[in-house]
Amino acid sequence: MIYIADGPSDIPAFSVVNKNNGATFAIYPKGDMAAMKQVEQMRADGRINMYAEADYTEGTTAYMWICNKITEFAERIRKEEKDKIAKCAAIEVPKHLTE
């Protein structure tokens, strides 16, 4: 899961997502220094993984970080599923007993 939010009221949710191998991303309004400092402190405190201005247009930090996390999660899920299939394939199939 990727959790995107904008402030201290989201810290409990950030905590749950982080504890469960998710990704946390805080946003702040463009040009708002106080809000940027607030989310930087949340990052420094280990409450979020990353932050950026609340602009999701292609090429922005927010856009690239979110796309990268989606790709990382997809690759992790693919590997886990591939490993499950390999594990099942390694189990010998039951056979008929012969006398």
Side-chain angles (χ1 to χ4, degrees):
M1 173 185 275
I2 299 173
Y3 190 82
I4 302 168
D6 65 352
S9 64
D10 298 292
I11 287 174
F14 285 140
S15 179
V16 169
V17 172
N18 285 330
K19 286 179 184 173
N20 289 286
N21 298 317
T24 51
F25 189 81
I27 55 167
Y28 62 92
K30 182 176 183 175
D32 188 336
M33 180 63 81
M36 191 281 300
K37 286 180 177 182
Q38 184 177 52
V39 296
E40 166 55 23
Q41 187 60 54
M42 290 166 58
R43 188 205 56 78
D45 293 342
R47 298 182 185 277
I48 59 170
N49 302 127
M50 182 67 169
Y51 67 89
E53 288 182 355
D55 179 357
Y56 307 100
T57 54
E58 192 170 343
T60 62
T61 298
Y63 177 89
M64 292 187 294
W65 189 87
I66 293 166
C67 288
N68 183 60
K69 282 298 167 188
I70 290 168
T71 301
E72 284 180 13
F73 286 1
E75 289 171 355
R76 182 176 76 200
I77 292 167
R78 182 177 177 271
K79 182 186 179 315
E80 289 170 358
E81 293 303 311
K82 190 175 178 181
D83 291 348
K84 286 179 192 175
I85 291 169
K87 185 177 177 180
C88 288
I91 298 172
E92 191 172 320
V93 182
K95 297 177 181 163
H96 291 282
L97 298 176
T98 57
E99 295 182 74

